Amino acid sequence: MRKRILLILALAVSFTSLKAQNVIDLIIAEALAVPDSTGIVDDFGRRGGWIEIFNTSQGTVNFAGCFLTDDRNNLKKSIIPKGDLRTKLGPRQTTLIYASGNGADGTLYADFEIRPGSTVYLVSNDGRTIIDSLVVPASLPAGMSMSKRAFDLRQSEFEPLPDPTVPSPGIYNGDLNAATKAEAMAEKDPHGGILSLVAVTVVFSALAILWFLFWLFFDRPAKKAAQAKEKPKNSAAKAQVKAGEVSDEIAAVIALAMDMEQGGDVYAAIAMAMDLYFSDTVHDTESFILTMRPKDGSAWNDKKQIFRKLPR
Amino acid sequence: MEHIFQSLSQFWEYTGFANCSWQNIVMIGIGIVFITLAIVKEWEPMLLVPIGFGMIIGNIPMFPGLNIGIYEDGSVLNILYQGVRQGWYPPLIFLGIGAMTDFSALISQPRLILIGAAAQMGIFGAYLLALLFGFAPNEAGAIGIIGGADGPTAIFLSSKLAPDLMGAIAVSAYSYMALVPVIQRPIMLLLTTKKERLIKMPTPRAVSQREKIIFPIIGFLTTAFIVPSGLPLLGMLFFGNLLKESGVTRRLANTASGPMIDVVTTLIGLTVGASTQADKFLSAKSILIFGLGLLSFVIATTCGVLFVKIMNLFIKNPAKKINPLIGNAGVSAVPDSARVSEVVGREFDTKNHLLMHAMGPNVAGVIGSAVAAGILLAFLG
């Protein structure tokens, strides 16, 4: 039992650490195994394979400490070193890791070369959790890459393309010129009728649900309870209300108005006290009643502890 | 001697007189009118004084490049303006509004919630009209929200949908909120009969503290699940209300509804005013926005009042009829529009107090306009 709890805790901590870092928002967006003569060169002027990492989130993600590997049995094959600002990837940004086979070349270099027929994995900083992977088929021709592209409207879910593509290192694999929501709406609903209808329906639905919930669970039971418990008021109070001079409602209105005008609880208390005095009734459950209770809080917020003598 | 004249000449180029244009003078004049209205007529002084003075600040002609203007990166005004531009201030104001709002009137008469929904028709009426006048959908959405009669919501949405129009939208929204008594009264009288104006509504039932505590939680869950894009406004509104009603966080509620909202209101008013630099503000678009804003208020008020009349058709018990004079209060603008209901109601029966009843649709309007803003943001953002 204890072990299970520890295991659950460990998993929870592991998951939390992943979430905290947001590294789960990273994907391997593209990978090239064998370059052709037009391929990009690294900082040392060499042409080789590369892996493109993309941050799908709207926040900055630091992937220092994460791992890259092409071996499922060795997830810690190539570590991304810590202490380099280039490991902080801005929202919706890409970075390239050169698969030079020598991680000592720099922060953005992997300790392996990509072989056609392998799979590239991006592993979390815990060294166990695979965040994303991309298959590099054996038939991948030189100078072509495998990539993922966003297909959903929000461009947040990326799917691997089945066929090799022309490499686009460091460039977002999506339609940057895609129509904005407003442009799409202008095309679909030029006169605004559909949006207005939908929006009005949603506003009404949201507030109608709220009304229904409160009517069902509070208003109706409260009214039923009030009907059941209703007792005739004493004659003095009745006479006052009948005269139309003072009623609960008027007093409450005065209290509310004063409270809004002056922003002071004092006025509300005075109005309420007047109502109680004139109507000769005490409402324990009245909405606007003010109940004075002795403070029994802790000492730290006690006024006596806060006050100090004025300097002389 | 020549050097002195050169220096004086150079100094002259730095002065406001050398860089002044007639547009600056017009905007400064408008700012002074705002301040005058606020002080003499007491129309929304908390807003119009900062906005008016902000207009004067923003339209002092100056030599560009000194890094002091509101649109110059890194200047003090620019940093303060980021609260508007990025939409930080409106949710903070909503926190304060939540902490000072008593939802009792709404909880005791849940049916009044629907009036708050009906009055949001002003938003979509203005949206349709703005499209008709050739505005892009995102701009039309930002203009439409003026009809929600909620300044922070208007600023929040326009900062997301049409930042370039934000100055005109914010000034328009706040101006019409200040003019609520002038705009709404004739519409209310036009759409109601004398008999309807004399309807006395039943005394609302007492609301327990438990209901008041549960309301912000259920209210938030219901609205936020339906319109998650309204999260910043709805979350802060209901959170502020929970601080108030929980009874154990009085100090936090007092801070949110007092010093904090005062600070943010000052900053939002001043920076919105200062953002109305003549070269960016004085345009045909701005005038059109003012016109559409007025229409949105008219539509919202009309829909609120008419909706109550329609509701009354379905209420058989005469004692439970709703006075249509509270229909106008659905347009947010807390508590001014509710106050208009009270004042107009008492014109016809001095003992007919509608304020407490009108507060129901009034606070429902705040929720409704935040929901509407969320929908527009989801579709057009």
Side-chain angles (χ1 to χ4, degrees):
Chain A
M1 188 64 186
R2 217 179 198 183
K3 279 183 180 175
R4 273 187 195 171
I5 293 170
L6 283 172
L7 185 67
I8 291 167
L9 277 174
L11 283 172
V13 168
S14 157
F15 184 72
T16 314
S17 70
L18 281 178
K19 288 290 277 186
Q21 282 283 324
N22 283 327
V23 287
I24 53 167
D25 292 321
L26 298 175
I27 60 163
I28 299 175
E30 195 171 348
L32 180 136
V34 184
D36 61 9
S37 57
T38 60
I40 59 162
V41 293
D42 63 14
D43 299 328
F44 302 96
R46 301 172 302 202
R47 285 198 172 85
W50 45 260
I51 300 157
E52 185 184 77
I53 310 283
F54 179 66
N55 174 10
T56 61
S57 76
Q58 299 294 338
T60 299
V61 176
N62 189 350
F63 60 95
C66 290
F67 301 89
L68 281 165
T69 182
D70 60 350
D71 183 357
R72 188 76 175 76
N73 297 315
N74 181 12
L75 295 179
K76 294 183 177 179
K77 194 169 184 177
S78 178
I79 188 169
I80 311 284
K82 294 178 181 175
D84 190 329
L85 288 176
R86 287 178 296 171
T87 58
K88 285 187 178 176
L89 199 49
R92 316 288 292 173
Q93 297 298 304
T94 60
T95 192
L96 283 186
I97 310 281
Y98 296 102
S100 67
N102 182 13
D105 285 344
T107 302
L108 302 179
Y109 288 82
D111 272 321
F112 60 91
E113 292 180 13
I114 304 173
R115 291 167 288 107
S118 64
T119 301
V120 183
Y121 299 94
L122 175 63
V123 182
S124 166
N125 47 13
D126 64 4
R128 293 189 306 274
T129 313
I130 294 173
I131 301 167
D132 194 33
S133 63
L134 184 66
V135 176
V136 181
S139 59
L140 183 68
M144 297 294 275
S145 67
M146 294 306 293
S147 61
K148 288 179 185 162
R149 196 177 172 90
F151 288 102
D152 66 327
L153 276 174
R154 287 180 293 178
Q155 305 203 333
S156 55
E157 296 295 328
F158 286 74
E159 295 292 332
L161 291 173
D163 300 316
T165 52
V166 176
S168 58
I171 298 171
Y172 169 64
N173 297 343
D175 187 2
L176 285 171
N177 298 317
T180 61
K181 282 183 189 172
E183 286 166 349
M185 191 55 74
E187 203 172 300
K188 285 181 196 164
D189 183 23
H191 303 296
I194 298 169
L195 173 66
S196 300
L197 193 66
V198 171
V200 168
T201 310
V202 174
V203 171
F204 262 97
S205 307
L207 294 187
I209 291 170
L210 201 56
W211 160 69
F212 180 72
L213 289 174
F214 267 80
W215 173 79
L216 189 67
F217 294 113
F218 296 104
D219 198 38
R220 203 171 66 141
K223 279 177 181 166
K224 277 188 177 175
Q227 276 173 359
K229 287 182 182 175
E230 200 169 67
K231 288 176 187 171
K233 290 181 179 178
N234 65 52
S235 56
K238 230 176 187 178
Q240 291 276 8
V241 175
K242 262 188 177 176
E245 294 298 325
V246 179
S247 71
D248 302 348
E249 190 182 352
I250 293 171
V253 166
I254 295 167
L256 191 63
M258 282 179 148
D259 191 35
M260 283 189 305
E261 289 283 352
Q262 308 293 339
D265 293 345
V266 177
Y267 296 104
I270 292 168
M272 201 63 225
M274 284 170 67
D275 171 50
L276 292 175
Y277 176 76
F278 283 120
S279 61
D280 194 24
T281 52
V282 176
H283 303 266
D284 286 330
T285 55
E286 179 63 55
S287 311
F288 302 101
I289 197 164
L290 295 172
T291 307
M292 306 294 181
R293 287 184 190 148
K295 274 195 170 180
D296 53 359
S298 61
W300 76 272
N301 63 348
D302 193 333
K303 288 281 181 238
K304 279 184 286 187
Q305 307 291 334
I306 298 166
F307 287 160
R308 61 187 172 84
K309 284 179 184 173
L310 287 170
R312 294 176 185 237
Chain B
M1 195 64 178
E2 192 183 333
H3 183 66
I4 292 171
F5 279 119
Q6 268 183 355
S7 299
L8 283 173
S9 167
Q10 197 179 358
F11 176 72
W12 170 255
E13 284 174 17
Y14 280 102
T15 64
F17 299 106
N19 295 290
C20 191
S21 66
W22 66 268
Q23 289 97 331
N24 291 124
I25 303 294
V26 169
M27 290 306 298
I28 289 171
I30 296 173
I32 291 171
V33 169
F34 272 39
I35 294 171
T36 310
L37 287 175
I39 296 170
V40 178
K41 296 273 184 185
E42 291 194 28
W43 285 351
E44 294 279 352
M46 306 286 185
L47 298 169
L48 290 191
V49 169
I51 290 178
F53 201 79
M55 280 178 159
I56 298 174
I57 289 177
N59 284 283
I60 295 296
M62 61 184 179
F63 192 81
L66 297 176
N67 210 26
I68 52 170
I70 196 163
Y71 292 110
E72 291 182 283
D73 283 344
S75 71
V76 175
L77 284 174
N78 182 264
I79 289 167
L80 295 177
Y81 183 52
Q82 291 309 310
V84 175
R85 194 75 200 238
Q86 307 291 338
W88 306 327
Y89 293 151
L92 290 175
I93 289 187
F94 260 60
L95 178 68
I97 292 172
M100 63 169 70
T101 302
D102 188 343
F103 282 103
S104 299
L106 188 68
I107 300 168
S108 62
Q109 303 179 84
R111 60 186 179 154
L112 301 183
I113 291 177
L114 295 176
I115 304 170
Q120 304 314 315
M121 300 281 266
I123 294 173
F124 304 104
Y127 171 73
L128 294 173
L129 285 171
L131 285 178
L132 205 65
F133 279 98
F135 283 98
N138 54 322
E139 293 176 331
I143 293 167
I145 202 69
I146 298 172
D150 203 320
T153 309
I155 290 172
F156 179 78
L157 193 68
S158 55
S159 71
K160 307 279 178 199
L161 294 184
D164 292 343
L165 304 181
M166 190 173 56
I169 290 169
V171 171
S172 174
Y174 279 122
S175 306
Y176 291 131
M177 280 166 66
L179 293 170
V180 152
V182 182
I183 299 169
Q184 290 196 322
R185 188 178 174 277
I187 300 168
M188 292 158 72
L189 295 180
L190 188 73
L191 297 174
T192 52
T193 62
K194 196 178 177 190
K195 191 182 166 193
E196 285 173 329
R197 290 174 216 144
L198 294 173
I199 291 175
K200 280 203 173 184
M201 293 175 67
T203 309
R205 69 174 176 83
V207 174
S208 68
Q209 194 60 32
R210 188 196 296 176
E211 286 174 84
K212 289 186 188 178
I213 293 171
I214 292 173
F215 181 79
I217 297 168
I218 290 187
F220 175 64
L221 288 173
T222 309
T223 51
F225 265 89
I226 294 173
V227 194
S229 43
L231 202 62
L233 298 176
L234 293 166
M236 291 301 229
L237 177 75
F238 287 116
F239 171 57
N241 191 245
L242 185 62
L243 289 181
K244 173 180 183 286
E245 301 299 355
S246 66
V248 292
T249 51
R250 194 168 177 82
R251 276 171 49 187
L252 300 185
N254 285 343
T255 304
S257 62
M260 195 205 71
I261 198 169
D262 288 349
V263 168
V264 182
T265 302
T266 308
L267 292 177
I268 204 170
L270 194 74
T271 49
V272 162
S275 71
T276 61
Q277 280 187 2
D279 55 337
K280 298 182 188 294
F281 189 79
L282 275 186
S283 66
K285 263 190 177 180
S286 297
I287 294 165
L288 208 51
I289 288 168
F290 268 79
L292 289 167
L294 176 63
L295 281 175
S296 69
F297 264 65
V298 171
I299 297 168
T301 308
T302 306
C303 289
V305 175
L306 290 180
F307 187 76
V308 176
K309 288 169 73 113
I310 294 168
M311 279 177 90
N312 277 342
L313 294 177
F314 296 94
I315 300 170
K316 301 292 175 205
N317 186 350
K320 290 188 175 178
K321 295 261 185 195
I322 304 169
N323 192 318
L325 291 180
I326 68 166
N328 71 300
V331 301
S332 205
V334 181
D336 292 345
S337 52
R339 206 178 284 157
V340 174
S341 304
E342 167 78 8
V343 171
V344 178
R346 275 200 288 131
E347 277 180 30
F348 296 90
D349 180 355
T350 50
K351 287 175 185 169
N352 193 7
H353 295 282
L354 294 172
L355 181 64
M356 202 161 79
H357 303 290
M359 282 306 288
N362 208 188
V363 292
V366 178
I367 302 171
S369 58
V371 170
I375 297 165
L376 289 170
L377 190 60
F379 277 107
L380 306 169

